[in-house]
Amino acid sequence: MERRILFLGPPGAGKGTQAKRLATALKVPHISTGDMLRRSVVLGTELGRQAEAIMAAGDLIPDDLVVSMVIERLEEEDTRHGYLLDGFPRNEAQAVAFDLGMTDRSIELALLIEVDEVELISRLQGRAAELGRSDDNEQTIARRLEVYKEETEPLLSYYPARGVRVIEVDGVGSIDQIFTRIVLLLEEAI
Ligand code: ADP
């Protein structure tokens, strides 16, 4: 099975949940830039201080900060047999910088979790009510979806143009159903 995998999909598609499960199954680290940034905010690091307001607005953290954060993380020993990226790259500039920085250890395969917009908005609003993540309010949700369309969606043609396959997975169903779909698609993809 491919072991250097990128999860793509709009906010609310369930990337984090599926990425965690798949990382456990493949025995590779789950690297989520959203989680890393939220941790920096909680710890009050310099990066966290810079990121907090940007995240609350639903905008993107400057590319250079995120790129160096991820490349540093990927220098750690546990990524030797692969990694699962979640939330990065989020635009073409990040993807280009990452490809240049990683050379022969860049992404092998991308998985796109697809969920239509009406369903996404209702999921994100539900999550806001339950978990109270500070960027799950109405305004920020709309902004994050807009940023996804403008900045991240172009990656759906960036990767195929560079010979990296993007596999589409239907993201509507139970967590187990979606996970089963992902595993079957990955097995087929080898
Ligand atoms: P979402 O479910 O909205 O995709 P994430 O947890 O992936 O949530 O990201 C939350 C926020 O963290 C984003 O809205 C953005 O502000 C910031 N962030 C995460 N990853 C990146 C990245 N690769 N580049 C810039 N900003 C990022």
Side-chain angles (χ1 to χ4, degrees):
M1 240 189 242
E2 309 270 2
R3 298 256 147 96
R4 295 197 302 268
I5 299 172
L6 162 65
F7 266 72
L8 284 170
K15 289 188 303 285
T17 306
Q18 298 297 335
K20 257 179 230 146
R21 276 185 77 156
L22 186 63
T24 306
L26 295 180
K27 300 190 172 67
V28 296
H30 168 224
I31 298 172
S32 155
T33 45
D35 287 351
M36 291 168 87
L37 291 165
R38 278 186 288 277
R39 209 172 306 134
S40 306
V41 171
V42 170
L43 293 174
T45 64
E46 177 56 32
L47 174 63
R49 276 195 291 275
Q50 292 183 52
E52 191 167 13
I54 303 175
M55 290 173 82
D59 288 319
L60 296 184
I61 309 306
D63 295 336
D64 53 341
L65 297 181
V66 185
V67 169
S68 54
M69 179 178 86
V70 173
I71 289 184
E72 255 173 51
R73 174 64 186 86
L74 287 174
E75 278 161 7
E76 286 175 38
E77 183 66 14
D78 63 344
T79 66
R80 214 175 2 134
H81 301 298
Y83 55 77
L84 215 154
L85 283 178
D86 165 12
F88 176 94
R90 233 179 177 85
N91 61 26
E92 214 169 293
Q94 292 181 9
V96 170
F98 184 73
D99 284 344
L100 287 174
M102 296 301 285
T103 55
D104 57 338
R105 290 188 62 224
S106 200
I107 292 154
E108 290 177 307
L109 183 89
L111 266 168
L112 168 66
I113 306 203
E114 288 187 304
V115 174
D116 71 63
E117 190 159 325
V118 176
E119 166 84 10
L120 285 177
I121 293 173
S122 92
R123 283 190 193 180
L124 289 165
Q125 286 169 345
R127 190 163 84 182
E130 274 170 39
L131 301 173
R133 213 175 93 173
S134 64
D135 60 351
D136 276 344
N137 60 66
E138 200 127 344
Q139 240 181 341
T140 310
I141 290 169
R143 179 63 189 145
R144 277 154 60 210
L145 287 170
E146 190 180 81
V147 169
Y148 176 76
K149 276 191 210 146
E150 282 171 10
E151 301 262 339
T152 313
E153 260 182 10
L155 295 179
L156 302 181
S157 38
Y158 172 88
Y159 282 111
R162 276 153 194 80
V164 174
R165 240 175 323 165
V166 177
I167 297 179
E168 295 169 17
V169 186
D170 175 6
V172 180
S174 72
I175 291 176
D176 283 344
Q177 278 169 340
I178 298 162
F179 185 66
T180 305
R181 283 176 204 151
I182 290 174
V183 171
L184 291 174
L185 285 166
L186 280 181
E187 280 169 356
E188 275 170 22
I190 305 173

